[in-house]
Amino acid sequence: MLKKRIIVCLDVKDGRTTKGVKFQNNIDIGDPVDMAAEYYRQGVDELVFYDIMASARGRGPILDLISRVASKVFIPFCVGGGIGTIEDIRSTILAGAEKISLNSQAVKNPQLISEGARIFGNQCIVLGMDAARDETAPSGYRVYINGGRVKTELDAKEWAIKAVELGAGEIVLNSIDADGVRQGYELNLTRMIAEAVPVPVIASGGGGTPQHLADVLTEGKADAALIASMVHSMGYTVDGIKKDLDKADVPVRL
């Protein structure tokens, strides 16, 4: 049976790790290089690094910081934020990232997904998608960009299907409604997207207890769960969470 992955997310703003609630009121919580090294030591399966202001400010990825993080971790490392060209993708991979997350830029230029997948392989191209409940959208969820600040015309399910057809090899699905509130993942949204696409879906937004991860990895049909607050500020460790999941019969790498 395929093991479920636990992924820690580092949201980075001005070179520091930050954490907010529903993309608001972000506070500085530490140095991303030190934090990445610590989560690697704890046994995290992958790391995701998002520069949360890059797209909004119209600049590319911080390559120096990416290479410093990459030098400390020897697991898959995904980078997102401000990656708007093939050259940005290439330079980010050369800086040490294994995967590139395209979110706002993929919506603005879908060809970036197909070109990136053609040149670097589908496994390198991850669709980052921020979705929120919207009764006017066909699936009941709408896609937002620029760090959740800008509403688009895209339906979440339709966009997921299209992005995979274009070449995305994985989807990080973030529920804006659940983000940072620690009340559990958006199971309905996660299950809907996981059932609609043939690639791995990573659930993001809402993890507060190991039971929340167990729920989204089983009922929500996610292939992986992304966590942040739990390990940043709630006293959990990656290895402790994995032991709890193992006890709950969720297959994880111990």
Side-chain angles (χ1 to χ4, degrees):
M1 190 173 183
L2 270 178
K3 305 271 196 220
K4 303 288 190 176
R5 290 171 288 150
I6 307 305
I7 302 173
V8 169
C9 178
L10 300 172
D11 283 336
V12 177
K13 179 181 179 185
D14 303 324
R16 300 283 294 175
T17 309
T18 183
K19 194 72 193 89
V21 176
K22 299 189 181 182
F23 294 16
Q24 305 287 320
N25 306 319
N26 286 72
I27 56 166
D28 182 323
I29 56 170
D31 176 70
V33 181
D34 293 343
M35 292 173 76
E38 172 58 22
Y39 297 135
Y40 174 63
R41 190 190 65 74
Q42 290 180 18
V44 74
D45 296 307
E46 296 187 23
L47 271 178
V48 175
F49 173 111
Y50 286 131
D51 187 329
I52 62 169
M53 295 305 294
S55 286
R57 290 176 178 168
R59 64 162 169 73
I62 309 172
L63 299 175
D64 166 61
L65 190 56
I66 293 163
S67 67
R68 282 165 52 217
V69 170
S71 73
K72 300 284 187 185
V73 301
F74 303 93
I75 48 175
F77 174 38
C78 178
V79 173
I83 298 171
T85 66
I86 290 298
E87 199 41 57
D88 287 338
I89 296 176
R90 183 176 284 110
S91 59
T92 303
I93 290 171
L94 289 172
E98 278 81 18
K99 302 179 185 181
I100 302 301
S101 177
L102 302 173
N103 188 321
S104 305
Q105 299 296 340
V107 170
K108 294 168 188 173
N109 176 19
Q111 291 313 113
L112 193 58
I113 300 174
S114 48
E115 276 293 286
R118 183 179 65 78
I119 297 168
F120 303 103
N122 303 67
Q123 80 287 346
C124 275
I125 305 301
V126 178
L127 177 74
M129 179 163 69
D130 297 319
R133 290 187 204 101
D134 184 340
E135 289 172 9
T136 66
S139 69
Y141 296 88
R142 187 168 298 284
V143 175
Y144 284 71
I145 59 171
N146 289 3
R149 289 182 286 274
V150 178
K151 184 177 180 177
T152 74
E153 295 299 306
L154 295 171
D155 175 74
K157 182 177 173 183
E158 290 171 5
W159 175 229
I161 292 167
K162 182 177 182 202
V164 171
E165 286 170 353
L166 287 166
E170 195 165 70
I171 294 174
V172 173
L173 175 62
N174 189 52
S175 164
I176 294 173
D177 302 299
D179 183 74
V181 296
R182 309 172 187 178
Q183 297 297 307
Y185 296 87
E186 172 74 90
L187 298 182
N188 181 55
L189 170 64
T190 308
R191 189 185 313 109
M192 177 180 69
I193 301 297
E195 289 176 343
V197 297
V199 301
V201 171
I202 300 163
S204 170
T209 68
Q211 186 60 50
H212 292 155
L213 277 79
D215 291 342
V216 82
L217 293 169
T218 54
E219 289 174 57
K221 300 195 174 177
D223 296 271
L226 191 142
I227 54 175
S229 305
M230 283 180 73
V231 285
H232 294 341
S233 59
M234 294 176 68
Y236 288 100
T237 61
V238 175
D239 45 345
I241 292 168
K242 284 186 170 186
K243 283 172 184 159
D244 285 339
L245 290 171
D246 184 56
K247 281 182 199 153
D249 295 324
V250 178
V252 290
R253 290 186 191 90
L254 291 170

